[in-house]
Amino acid sequence: MNDDFDFAQYNQNFGHEFADKHEWLDVHINLLFNELKDIWIAVHIFNTVDKEWDKRVQEKDVPDYSIVRTTLYESLVYRVVLGLSKIFSDSKEYSLRKATNQVEQIIRDNKNTGRVIAEIRQKLDDSLMIRVIRTYRDKFFAHLDKKSAMSYVRIDSSSAMKYISEQELNEWLLLVRELYQVCFGEELSCEFNMPSEEDIIYTFFWR
């Protein structure tokens, strides 16, 4: 096998199919919004499972250990932390902050975009949740540094979830939706294909 791995060979890029930068940005912000929706659902599932587990502990009805349940539970943590760290990374990557820079360059003469961009950037700078997510990504989830090698998060990665706020994620969804609306004059759908509490509990506690 050739040691020179060509990422482009295995990951087809469709960027050349867009008519212009305006169309590319339209799809990019749309995808950021949909990724945020998926992560919000993952957080909701995680919190529902946590609540049900605590209830069963109090009722002394804790189920037997299940590798399937544990794997599903921990995979939600990675989905949330790595997904959010990608969306909320700095402007060097194609993150939300980078998208605001691109909006300034591509969509001009629009007073509303400036207002929404300023609000997004201020929230990015002020959010404790985002700072914590970036730290967890750098210290453990994307890289295992020395201090995390023998730390609590390595034993229980779900401990990182206590810093994730469903309310703040909803605020981010509304902001990204507003950004898209002022840029392209259309609204992104806020409808969720949210699993019911019964479905979540059955999936995780089926035995």
Side-chain angles (χ1 to χ4, degrees):
M1 181 178 177
N2 192 335
D3 291 335
D4 297 326
F5 176 74
D6 183 5
F7 183 67
Q9 180 182 351
Y10 298 94
N11 183 50
Q12 187 175 358
N13 191 306
F14 301 101
H16 64 280
E17 297 184 9
F18 296 108
D20 52 32
K21 292 181 179 179
H22 190 276
E23 185 177 323
W24 187 96
L25 185 60
D26 181 327
V27 175
H28 178 49
I29 295 177
N30 201 317
L31 289 172
L32 285 174
F33 180 78
N34 286 330
E35 287 167 354
L36 263 175
K37 284 173 65 174
D38 289 346
I39 292 169
W40 194 93
I41 292 171
V43 173
H44 175 75
I45 293 171
F46 180 91
N47 289 339
T48 301
V49 172
D50 250 17
K51 181 181 176 181
E52 179 66 18
W53 182 268
D54 290 343
K55 173 187 171 186
R56 293 185 178 225
V57 168
Q58 292 175 3
E59 295 175 350
K60 301 186 186 309
D61 186 29
V62 178
D64 294 336
Y65 174 78
S66 165
I67 186 62
V68 174
R69 178 171 49 246
T70 300
T71 301
L72 288 175
Y73 183 76
E74 292 181 351
S75 69
L76 288 171
V77 180
Y78 279 80
R79 173 70 179 103
V80 170
V81 175
L82 291 178
L84 289 179
S85 65
K86 178 177 64 175
I87 293 170
F88 295 127
S89 62
D90 61 29
S91 58
K92 294 179 182 179
E93 302 170 16
Y94 279 83
S95 59
L96 179 56
R97 188 181 291 274
K98 179 79 169 183
T100 63
N101 296 342
Q102 292 172 307
V103 169
E104 284 183 323
Q105 297 168 10
I106 298 171
I107 301 175
R108 301 177 180 179
D109 303 322
N110 187 330
K111 295 179 181 179
N112 289 325
T113 58
R115 173 185 57 80
V116 178
I117 286 171
E119 190 172 350
I120 288 173
R121 288 175 176 169
Q122 188 64 54
K123 194 171 182 65
L124 285 169
D125 291 339
D126 294 344
S127 173
L128 173 62
M129 182 184 78
I130 291 175
R131 292 199 298 273
V132 170
I133 288 168
R134 290 172 179 169
T135 301
Y136 268 104
R137 175 200 62 187
D138 294 341
K139 298 291 186 181
F140 177 74
F141 287 92
H143 314 280
L144 184 61
D145 73 0
K146 183 177 180 180
K147 291 184 178 179
S148 294
M150 293 298 165
S151 67
Y152 185 77
V153 71
R154 192 173 187 188
I155 299 171
D156 180 13
S157 60
S158 68
S159 60
M161 292 293 286
K162 65 183 178 181
Y163 300 100
I164 309 298
S165 165
E166 283 190 70
Q167 178 181 340
E168 183 170 340
L169 289 180
N170 186 59
E171 292 169 1
W172 279 114
L173 278 168
L174 294 176
L175 268 177
V176 175
R177 186 174 185 237
E178 186 177 6
L179 177 66
Y180 185 87
Q181 196 278 326
V182 297
C183 287
F184 305 107
E186 299 177 7
E187 289 192 353
L188 296 171
S189 173
C190 272
E191 292 184 6
F192 287 85
N193 187 20
M194 186 70 73
S196 68
E197 181 177 342
E198 291 76 15
D199 284 345
I200 295 171
I201 292 174
Y202 177 80
T203 300
F204 280 84
F205 299 93
W206 55 277
R207 66 170 185 168

